[in-house]
Amino acid sequence: MHVVVNAAMSVDGKLSSRRREQIAISGPDDFDRVDQLRADSDAVMVGVGTILADDPSLTVDDADRRAARADRGKPENPARVVADSRIRTPPDATVLDGRAQTYLLVSEAAPPDFIEEMEDAGAYVIAAGQDQVDLTTTLAKLEGDGIDQLMVEGGGELIFGLLEEALVDELFVYIGSKVIGGRDAPTLADGDGFIEDFPEPELAGVERVDDGVVLHWQF
Amino acid sequence: MHVVVNAAMSVDGKLSSRRREQIAISGPDDFDRVDQLRADSDAVMVGVGTILADDPSLTVDDADRRAARADRGKPENPARVVADSRIRTPPDATVLDGRAQTYLLVSEAAPPDFIEEMEDAGAYVIAAGQDQVDLTTTLAKLEGDGIDQLMVEGGGELIFGLLEEALVDELFVYIGSKVIGGRDAPTLADGDGFIEDFPEPELAGVERVDDGVVLHWQF
Ligand SMILES: NC(=O)c1ccc[n+]([C@@H]2O[C@H](COP(=O)([O-])OP(=O)(O)OC[C@H]3O[C@@H](n4cnc5c(N)ncnc54)[C@H](OP(=O)(O)O)[C@@H]3O)[C@@H](O)[C@H]2O)c1
Ligand SMILES: NC(=O)c1ccc[n+]([C@@H]2O[C@H](COP(=O)([O-])OP(=O)(O)OC[C@H]3O[C@@H](n4cnc5c(N)ncnc54)[C@H](OP(=O)(O)O)[C@@H]3O)[C@@H](O)[C@H]2O)c1
């Protein structure tokens, strides 16, 4: 499986302010780049923190891109994947609106009645990991289901979890011309953080887009 | 006064790991760029957090650059400035080694006997602000002392304090090819963070240096 992380951060590495509201960091050209990346992926993944904060749809915005996917014999939208150990995703979340197949990656600590509720809402539930989702195992299962290119759209907790398991192949970071600041604001990679053996990706591309720049890192 | 901030951050916006140890983020070419920026400045400033974590010298490394400064009738090294509200700088800190003039910016909460101890160690103490250093007032006093170009080398708490007071004119950020991660690791701009009216600098330059890239932002 090929895992591509994409996120937009401020000048100082933040995905949002300490209030964890969605903040417009990028512009129209970057939005278009991200939409293409989505259209090129078999599935788009986020952590439950992003579901709760932003309630994203994770679908392809451009109708031509959806049509092109259909022409290739694919579903109009890539599948959606949420890492959600104990099922905090609300049943009325937009990712459960039926516009695309949705996977919920959960842990063994997920309450069985919540699992049932999610399955009733149309989600495929994959369980692995004791208290938190075992990302290596669940991504391997997704690959077994035909998901070869997985795009990850954040947030910082999930991105760190994937980096910790060495599951990330590529990282696209749009850096926008805003400073957010804040020692408690979410950053591109949160979690416990590394203290040694820092992952050292290669800088494969630098491109100015909108008022900012896209850095492309390869692991 | 012209205030130029310079810092090196990881792919994900961190200045260090959660352990707050000094981490080599940049390489030799960036080190050289920073040394030139120091040599071009009248003073180099850090917060006391950086003194306690790294005990930096803040002097110009290259002998030719020091000689060139002397030729221009300047001291070999720019002055050093530490923002240190209650004087936590230890008397044996390297910034007090006499190799350059050192200013300690303190608040009215700084204990008088500590002030005396610092003055005995050769520092010039400037006090303004009730509990924390009033950066606008103290920087104006530094300007009155002939400091026209002030370089700020971090850390993230001080950088946010300066941004909050709209004192920053330029920001150079070296982004190195390391991921540090960690929700508690210091970032380029910490403090309370903005929740609206985010500063929106312009991206004035993008240059690949060593294994990373230097972004130049203008406020
Ligand atoms: N600028 C951007 O591009 C962008 C993109 C996305 C999000 N955001 C912002 O980022 C913020 C949300 O980010 P976030 O970091 O709080 O949330 P997140 O990464 O979306 O979700 C984190 C949650 O995922 C769950 N998870 C399950 N298994 C995990 C594993 N193995 N490793 C790590 N996490 C796992 C955990 O909750 P459980 O333990 O309950 O499972 C964890 O708290 C919001 O403010 C949002 O607006 C910005
Ligand atoms: N990668 C890099 O380029 C780089 C550069 C520098 C530092 N670092 C790293 O950054 C970390 C230290 O950063 P830090 O953010 O903890 O410390 P910092 O910004 O160097 O110092 C922060 C301290 O400055 C004092 N201060 C006084 N007046 C202030 C004001 N008006 N606004 C804000 N602060 C004021 C405060 O202490 P008082 O309240 O006691 O005055 C504050 O806690 C270390 O891990 C160091 O290795 C990295």
Side-chain angles (χ1 to χ4, degrees), chain B residues 7-8 15-16 20-22 25 46-50 53-54 83-86 88 132-133 135 153-158 161 186 190:
Chain B
L15 299 187
S16 173
R20 293 184 180 256
E21 307 163 323
Q22 202 165 3
I25 295 174
V46 294
V48 63
T50 298
D54 305 346
D84 186 4
S85 310
R86 287 155 198 278
R88 294 190 283 146
Q132 213 178 24
V133 176
L135 294 169
E153 296 212 33
E157 292 288 334
L158 175 63
D190 284 331

Side-chain angles (χ1 to χ4, degrees), chain B residues 6-10 14-17 19-23 25 45-51 53-54 82-88 105 107 131-135 153-162 164-165 186-188 190-191:
Chain B
N6 184 85
M9 72 182 198
S10 60
K14 309 297 187 306
L15 299 187
S16 173
S17 77
R19 286 200 180 159
R20 293 184 180 256
E21 307 163 323
Q22 202 165 3
I23 292 172
I25 295 174
M45 180 180 190
V46 294
V48 63
T50 298
I51 297 293
D54 305 346
V82 182
D84 186 4
S85 310
R86 287 155 198 278
I87 309 188
R88 294 190 283 146
L105 312 183
S107 73
D131 284 317
Q132 213 178 24
V133 176
D134 174 336
L135 294 169
E153 296 212 33
E157 292 288 334
L158 175 63
I159 292 172
F160 181 76
L162 292 164
E164 209 178 11
E165 305 264 303
T187 76
L188 181 66
D190 284 331

Side-chain angles (χ1 to χ4, degrees), chain A residues 8 15-16 20 47 49-50 54 85 88 133 135 153 155-158:
Chain A
L15 299 186
S16 173
R20 292 181 181 255
T50 298
D54 304 347
S85 311
R88 293 190 283 145
V133 176
L135 294 169
E153 296 212 33
E157 290 289 334
L158 175 63

